[in-house]
Amino acid sequence: AIECSLKLNPMWKDKKEDLPWGEIENRPYLRALNERAIALYDTRRLEEAIKQAKYLIKLNPSDNQGTRQLLISWYLEIGNTEGCSNLLRKYADCTDAYLAYADILLQFLLWKKDDAV
């Protein structure tokens, strides 16, 4: 899917940031990247999935696809409290119930770590 979308616009391959969802012609590539992240996760390649999701958020910071929800759950799954905290800070103005719940889980993980020391 990524190769097919690159045929539509070969310039996407060299993009490092700013590929907004609002420009409809960007959507096939952004969708392909999102599906690739999910496929990587489904094949137990979590670190690669996280890298892909972070890249996608860098390309489309407004995250119209909800990649932040995937990424935050993957951070929680591996216990990456720093990555989780940073992502929550980045989207602090978002009224997403999923992120609010993730924040509660993060606080529990941090409390549990502090309690064990």
Side-chain angles (χ1 to χ4, degrees):
I2 292 173
E3 287 180 28
C4 290
S5 63
L6 285 173
K7 287 180 182 180
L8 295 173
N9 188 343
M11 291 175 50
W12 287 330
K13 187 175 186 175
D14 300 324
K15 276 296 217 181
K16 301 294 182 213
E17 55 188 46
D18 195 33
L19 203 61
W21 181 261
E23 294 178 26
I24 293 174
E25 60 273 2
N26 292 338
R27 291 182 183 183
Y29 186 58
L30 294 170
R31 284 185 182 121
L33 292 176
N34 192 60
E35 290 305 315
R36 181 172 191 263
I38 293 168
L40 287 167
Y41 176 81
D42 288 345
T43 56
R44 302 184 190 275
R45 295 162 60 189
L46 188 54
E47 291 300 324
E48 291 175 76
I50 288 171
K51 185 177 176 182
Q52 181 73 50
K54 287 171 62 176
Y55 174 64
L56 184 54
I57 287 175
K58 186 176 181 180
L59 287 177
N60 180 24
S62 59
D63 187 33
N64 305 83
Q65 295 172 272
T67 305
R68 64 181 170 259
Q69 294 176 344
L70 296 172
L71 185 55
I72 207 156
S73 67
W74 296 342
Y75 279 150
L76 287 168
E77 185 174 329
I78 63 170
N80 183 343
T81 56
E82 184 178 347
C84 193
S85 295
N86 291 339
L87 194 59
L88 286 169
R89 261 193 302 282
K90 180 176 180 146
Y91 293 101
D93 294 338
C94 181
T95 58
D96 187 333
Y98 194 92
L99 295 184
Y101 182 66
D103 190 25
I104 292 168
L105 289 174
L106 173 65
Q107 297 310 315
F108 177 75
L109 287 173
L110 292 172
W111 171 75
K112 195 172 173 184
K113 271 186 187 178
D114 289 343
D115 199 37
V117 175

